[in-house]
């Protein structure tokens, strides 16, 4: 590190010293010129130019010095233009400056004078230009030569003959082309040769320096592209072949990559179109471009943009995609050492081309996918370690189409997944699935669902290549919830088709194993219930609706059985109850049987598998609530179930739980419905009051006073509810008895937040009773 | 038309593309590296790897590596002075002071000193081997390419193979 720092300050010192000399000599030159002493002026100019002979400066510092010197030279040019043109002594001067002792100052001066000469005497142009570009061969030191030739190119910028010149004497555009091409090939040679200067261990440092200088070489191409006289045919027949000849033969990847890119950037699109074949053939040659990837991608990108800007830019007979696709395949096959990431980058570029230029031709995209598949299938080792790139390539059509259905049409999309690492494959699946949900795309046939879920298999079931250790539970839950959400995108507006879709989903999702189904199956159950409702709505139009509904119910049953088998008790219990409601809604014989079965399965789970007392209360409350909502049970089935509810409630372990559950049962007798009642509530007042009394009795047995009072208040509220709903058998006596009890016990409670709440609840209840029913209970 | 005499030049010889872009025909690189200290007490010495890379036809091999110690370089220098007509550049000086006893440090086996000497002899050998006349000397070839130096060799010139 200190080495480079020391070197940098060294450089700065050398540069400073050189600049001092340049400043001084430039000043002296100017002074002599002002006095009209040309010879002295030239002497100082030579002294100044001598500074450019240095070998010590690095490219960056040399550039700075070069800029300064050439700036000063413009004064000389101006002086000569003014003084000599009129006296016509410029030819002598052209000879004179060739007496400078050292080649660097000699050639800089020659170029300076030469340009003035051309400006003064047009007929000399062709010869002078040729002389200058030939003479520059005298400097073979790479750095000095590159800058000298750059000076030549920039100085002659305004004097090169272009399209409007026709006289062979003064030169035509062909002479300009040859002039630049010669300068270009010489500069390229010097630039490539830099590679061989110095110790081989400094290679990377030299490559860095070369990259800093690349623009000097590229300027030649840029100048060529600005010649109006370079027409398509001149470009095709002369300019491009000459450039490519240098590129191929230099066998230098830095030069090839930069200059190819330079060609692509500086020449117009029509030129590229016309010369696509020759350009691509050059890339394909085995000793041609070393780094073909970036070059091709850049070319594809350029023409793809051109075509996109206006499709008519591309003539009918130029099949861009076919040409590029053919060449890319050829290159990949011939270069077995090509790294997979390069292969994929090229394929991605082709996909983008197909998508942008031929949006309606999904076949093109599929063809690229197929080619990629074949390449990897042929030699599996080529796919190693490039999962990220492959996945990136596969995302391109996903992002472009914004429509999973089109992706599903690509036959060779999913097969490529097999070359992805497990982790990357999963990420891609998640990406696609999120995409489907975000774009709210519906997958509306069971075939497509099959294709989609096959594509997503990595999320749906265990994979042979997945890591041994279980993955992060949070991630897993997120992924599986995503699958559950995606189920809702698999929707057809045709009910029969929807049923096929559901069956297809089931087929795939049941492969998920115990740990996945808890996230995925509930979605299917709800989708199935939804479908039942659809058929129910259609029962006037579809005479087979009963049969179809029964099939769906069986379908639900099989899903729930899978959850039971995997011992997801809570989930199964809730889904059984929910499903029972749907069965019941159907109002048909077979459905009732199934509904009964569902409720009884829920009971079975409740009795056998729910052990925690809190969970038991929740479960029985759910069962009671569900049962209360049913409408189509026959009395034959209704009676045993409601008795069961009551029995189960009174068997709960804790008294408060018993009390609450039993009081809930009262609702069944009040507002429960069965088929015999034809939709009206049971209104079995006696049983309602029996249950309520039983609940009061149970709360009497509570040992904890505060809980007891709380229960009383809750029961008081229940009484009021029934009274409000027209249960006239609830008497004031019953209520005042309860109120009395509460008042008796209340003072004995310990002061606490809970007690406060009870008191408040009680007072609010009393206020309500008073306002609604006009009852008041004065304290005795 | 410009004045003919002004731009009249000798026609340059055309360069082929191969000539333009091939690696130079006089590539020669000698690295002196990986110093190692061997032996104990009086027999202690340091040697270096001398690694040659070249495409000059005068060398029989394009790559070669031998181990040499400072005294071998002294021998080579003496042979060249004797046999060739070139002015042989000096070697980095002998470290007389460092050889004195009762020093606090490791004397000539200090890392800094070894590195300094390595740079010196690397410069020396590259200068010599780059000289066309020295390239003909048998002693130089033996020094760079034979595993052992035969000090009883018959001096002579090497011809291009």
């Amino acid at each position: 590190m200190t080495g480079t720092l020391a070197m940098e300050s060294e450089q700065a010192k050398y540069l400073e010293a050189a600049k001092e000399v340049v400043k001084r000599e430039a000043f002296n030159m100017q002074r002599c010129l002002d006095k009209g002493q040309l010879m002295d002026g030239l002497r100082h100019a030579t002294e100044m130019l001598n500074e450019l002979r240095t070998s010590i400066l690095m490219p960056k510092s040399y550039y700075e010095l070069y800029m300064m010197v050439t700036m000063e030279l413009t004064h000389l040019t101006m002086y000569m233009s003014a003084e000599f043109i009129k006296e016509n002594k410029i030819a002598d001067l052209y000879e004179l400056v060739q007496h400078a002792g050292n080649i660097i100052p000699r050639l800089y001066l020659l170029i300076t004078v030469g340009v003035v000469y051309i400006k003064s005497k047009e007929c000399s142009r062709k010869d002078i230009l040729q002389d200058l570009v030939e003479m520059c061969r005298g400097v073979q030191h790479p750095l000095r030569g590159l800058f000298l030739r750059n000076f030549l190119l920039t100085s002659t910028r305004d004097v090169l003959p272009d399209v409007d010149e026709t006289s062979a004497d003064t030169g035509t555009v062909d002479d300009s082309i040859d002039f630049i091409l010669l300068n270009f090939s010489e500069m390229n040679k010097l630039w490539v040769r830099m590679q061989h200067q110095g110790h081989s261990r400094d290679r990377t440092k030299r490559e860095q320096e070369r990259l800093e200088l690349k623009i000097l070489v590229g300027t030649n191409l840029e100048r060529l592209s600005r010649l109006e006289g370079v027409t398509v045919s001149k470009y095709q027949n002369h300019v491009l072949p000459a450039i490519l000849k240098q590129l191929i033969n230099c066998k230098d990847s830095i030069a090839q990559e930069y200059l190819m890119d330079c060609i692509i950037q500086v020449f117009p699109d029509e030129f590229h179109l016309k010369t696509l074949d020759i350009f691509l053939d050059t890339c394909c040659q085995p000793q041609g471009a070393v780094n073909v990837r970036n070059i091709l991608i850049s070319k594809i990108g350029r023409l793809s943009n051109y075509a996109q800007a206006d499709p008519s830019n591309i003539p009918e007979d130029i099949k861009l995609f076919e040409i590029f696709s053919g060449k890319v395949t050829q290159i990949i096959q011939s270069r077995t050492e090509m790294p997979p990431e390069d292969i994929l980058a090229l394929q991605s570029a082709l996909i983008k081309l197909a998508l942008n230029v031929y949006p309606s031709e999904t076949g093109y995209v599929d063809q690229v996918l197929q080619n990629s598949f074949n390449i990897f299938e042929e030699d599996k080792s080529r796919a190693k370690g490039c999962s990220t790139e492959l996945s990136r390539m596969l995302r391109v059509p996903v992002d472009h189409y914004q429509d999973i259905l089109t992706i599903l049409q690509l036959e060779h999309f999913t097969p490529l997944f097999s070359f992805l690492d497990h982790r990357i494959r999963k990420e891609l699946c998640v990406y696609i699935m999120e995409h489907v949900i975000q774009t709210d795309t519906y997958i509306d046939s069971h075939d497509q669902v099959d294709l989609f879920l096959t594509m997503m298999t990595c999320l749906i079931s265990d994979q042979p290549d997945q890591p041994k250790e279980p993955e992060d539970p949070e991630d897993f839950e997120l992924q599986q919830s995503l699958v559950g959400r995606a189920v809702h995108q698999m929707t057809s507006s045709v009910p029969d088709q929807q049923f096929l879709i559901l069956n297809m989903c089931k087929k795939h999702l049941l492969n998920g194993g115990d740990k996945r189904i808890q996230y995925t199956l509930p979605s299917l159950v709800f989708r199935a219930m939804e479908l039942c409702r659809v058929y129910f709505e259609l029962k006037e139009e579809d005479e087979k609706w009963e049969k179809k509904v029964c099939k769906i119910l069986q379908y639900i049953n099989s899903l729930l059985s899978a959850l039971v088998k995997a011992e997801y008790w809570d989930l199964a219990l809730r889904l059984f109850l929910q499903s029972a409601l749907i069965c019941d809604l159907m109002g048909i014989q077979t459905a009732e049987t199934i509904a009964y079965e569902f409720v009884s399965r829920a009971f079975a789970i409740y009795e056998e598998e729910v052990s925690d007392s809190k969970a038991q209360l929740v479960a029985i409350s759910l069962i009671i609530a569900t049962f209360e909502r049913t409408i189509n049970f026959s009395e034959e089935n209704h009676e045993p179930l409601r008795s069961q509810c009551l029995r189960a409630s009174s068997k709960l372990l804790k008294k408060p739980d018993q009390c609450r559950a039993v009081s809930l049962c009262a609702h069944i007798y009040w507002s429960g419905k069965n088929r015999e009642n034809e939709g009206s509530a049971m209104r079995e007042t006696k049983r309602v009051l029996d249950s309520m009394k039983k609940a009061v009795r149970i709360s009497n047995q509570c040992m904890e006073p505060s809980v007891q009072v709380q229960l009383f208040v809750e029961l008081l509220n229940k009484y009021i509810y029934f009274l409000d709903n027209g249960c006239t058998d609830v008497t004031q006596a019953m209520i005042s008895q309860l109120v009395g009890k509460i008042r008796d016990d209340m003072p004995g409670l310990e002061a606490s937040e809970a007690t406060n709440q009870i008191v408040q609840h009680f007072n609010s209840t009393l206020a309500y009773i008073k306002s609604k029913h006009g009852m008041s209970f004065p304290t005795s | 038309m410009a004045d003919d005499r002004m731009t009249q030049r000798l026609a340059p010889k055309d360069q082929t593309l191969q000539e333009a872009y091939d690696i130079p025909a006089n590539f020669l690189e000698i690295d002196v590296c990986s110093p190692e200290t061997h032996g104990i007490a009086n027999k202690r010495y340091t040697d270096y790897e001398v690694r040659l890379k070249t495409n000059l036809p005068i060398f029989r091999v394009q790559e070669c590596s031998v181990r040499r110690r400072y005294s071998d370089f002294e021998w080579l220098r003496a042979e060249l002075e004797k046999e060739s007509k070139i002015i042989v550049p000096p070697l980095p000086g002998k470290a007389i002071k460092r050889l004195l006893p009762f020093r606090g440090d490791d004397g000539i086996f200090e890392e800094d000193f070894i590195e300094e000497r390595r740079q010196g002899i690397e410069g020396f050998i590259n200068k010599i081997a780059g000289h066309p006349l020295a390239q003909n000397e048998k002693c130089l070839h033996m020094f760079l390419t034979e595993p052992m130096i035969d000090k009883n060799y018959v001096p002579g010139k090497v011809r291009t193979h």
Side-chain angles (χ1 to χ4, degrees), chain A residues 394-414:
Chain A
L394 290 171
R395 284 178 197 213
V396 173
V398 175
D399 292 340
H400 182 89
Y401 286 128
Q402 297 283 315
D403 174 15
I404 188 70
L405 298 181
T406 317
I407 298 292
L408 292 175
Q409 281 170 22
L410 302 172
E411 225 177 289
H412 298 91
F413 188 80
T414 309

Side-chain angles (χ1 to χ4, degrees), chain A residues 580-581 584 625-633 638 672-674:
Chain A
L581 279 177
D584 177 69
T626 305
F627 191 57
E628 193 269 340
R629 298 308 307 164
T630 61
I631 51 172
N632 278 315
F633 276 107
H638 202 270
K673 302 180 180 75
N674 62 21

